[in-house]
Amino acid sequence: MKKNTRISNLHRKFAERSWNDTFQLVRRCMEKSRDESKPCEPIARALDRLQEVLQAPTMDNTKSRLEMIAKRQGMDFYCTDVTCYLTADIFYLEVLLLPSGEVQEVKMALHRERPAPSRSLLRLLRSNNFSEFSVRLGELFAQYNIPGDSETKSKMLKSIKSLWKDLQQISDMPKEPKCFEAQIDLINNGRVGFLMAEKQDYPPSLYFYISPNDCLKNSELSLEELLEFKPAVQVNQATIGVGDLIHKLQMTSLISEAPQLDTHSCPAVAALGEVSNETLPACFLLRLKTPIPVFSHIVERVGQITGVTIPDCDLQWAPLPRLLINASASAKSPSEPLDGQEIFTVVFPEGGMHTYVLSDSSWDAPAQRAALLASVPFTQLAHVSAVLELLRHQCVFNTLLRSCLTQSASPASVCDLHFEVRPESTTSISVTFCQPHIDSLAVLLVNIPNPRQITCQLFGGGFYDSSYPMLDEYTSMVLTSCMSIPVAMRALYCRLEETTSCPTTAVAENDRLSPEMDTDGHSPAASQSAA
């Protein structure tokens, strides 16, 4: 009762006040926040909500929203009659407003440099997409958030700019291809991936992996639109960060203006000791926009390549499937636990259904545990290519495993095809299933020796038709093209149904035993599954 009376009194008190008076009151409340470096979040959300309701832009409304965004990012804000300035230690934004409150122009510059127009930020503000504008501003702030005194900041900024220039030269050799397919190939196979040209208003980004399936699903998009489609493409940003240890970093380009090319048509890179360098309490960082679940051996190998250890305290280890499920936007409904296992149902658009079982115990072994990797520290240009190859390798493994983890929202009532997916090593997966028309198990061993090669081997008895000596090659081809274990298993199962529907006396001749099979003709994985 008292609460209702209080609300009624507030309504009467502010009934005759204008929206501008209300905004001013909320902003005064924000300035009384206990943490002066950031606004009070509940009040900030209230102000955002008020401004969203008033969609028509006004001068005060636009200024208020820009001020809120700047303070949330830890930046300073001040304005003149028609220009707003969002400033950080190293860079600043100019936002020029029209009398109506609409945005006329956005410029961005590093301090002591000439400001340049930013079409991307202007587009966001003109479309009133303040949330995405805030995200982009946060990326810029993180990119240029270099701690230390002014001299140290200047040296670190010069060093990272030298690295960006070298990465751009490598990405442009050979000259950047224009056709969509060639650019996708550059993402997956280029030494430093596909580097978006450095712009002051957009941190240079290295796009280094996209699965063929994502390319097919988004084939109607242009390359620029596809790169903005964040779930499809793995991307990182090269930046610099401080640390407890000192490292020798380049202060100029390691690649000459007219570089000599090596046998792979890549520019020759000078040794760090041959060019200007500085010893700084910092290292370069490949900051992943979307953290990648990686095996422990990948973390160790990265440290061996770069000579900079990734602190174990920054990593939380868990079975790889669990990390992929948590990170996947498609895994919205919980899977069904069964005796310490996880069951996932895959329904095909054209009909049919598979279930995939991943045993918790098999994926929880020390060698199979993984952690989310958010950034990779390094100190030299030569480290980038080797690190990206390791990340691509893990991305291929993750893509194949993730294809089994989709939980259908409305699965069919009956499913006759069940598969068990187990790790055999950090580069191979086994899929165990019942053969069609035969009371016998088969195992498909999927090997991923590198990011560009997938091979399949089928083990088990009952393959009658000698006209299928290329069954392994067929399955490998299907899996490589679609990067989906369920799609490959459906194709393989159809082939086996054709083969086993006409039994012959040639069973013994066509049975194959792997080097690790027991005398009963089953692989250890199949025997364990049967047990």
Side-chain angles (χ1 to χ4, degrees), residues 368-379:
Q368 306 301 331
R369 291 175 69 81
L372 287 176
L373 187 65
S375 62
V376 176
F378 68 103
T379 59

Side-chain angles (χ1 to χ4, degrees), residues 180 183-189 207-216 218 223 226-227 229 231-235 392 395-396 399 483:
F180 181 85
Q183 288 173 322
I184 294 300
D185 180 71
L186 185 58
I187 290 176
N188 286 331
N189 301 312
Y207 297 84
F208 63 91
Y209 177 76
I210 180 171
S211 73
N213 198 27
D214 284 326
C215 288
L216 291 174
N218 301 283
L223 180 71
L226 184 64
L227 298 185
F229 186 58
V233 190
Q234 289 293 345
V235 56
R392 284 172 176 149
C395 286
V396 171
T399 300
M483 292 298 290

Side-chain angles (χ1 to χ4, degrees), residues 172-184:
D172 289 345
M173 302 289 292
K175 200 63 180 174
E176 178 183 318
K178 298 302 180 184
C179 67
F180 181 85
E181 292 77 9
Q183 288 173 322
I184 294 300

Side-chain angles (χ1 to χ4, degrees), residues 83-86 92-96 105-109 115:
T83 306
C84 299
Y85 296 90
L86 294 75
Y92 67 95
L93 256 62
E94 291 182 13
V95 182
L96 183 64
E105 189 174 23
V106 179
K107 295 182 179 180
M108 184 268 177

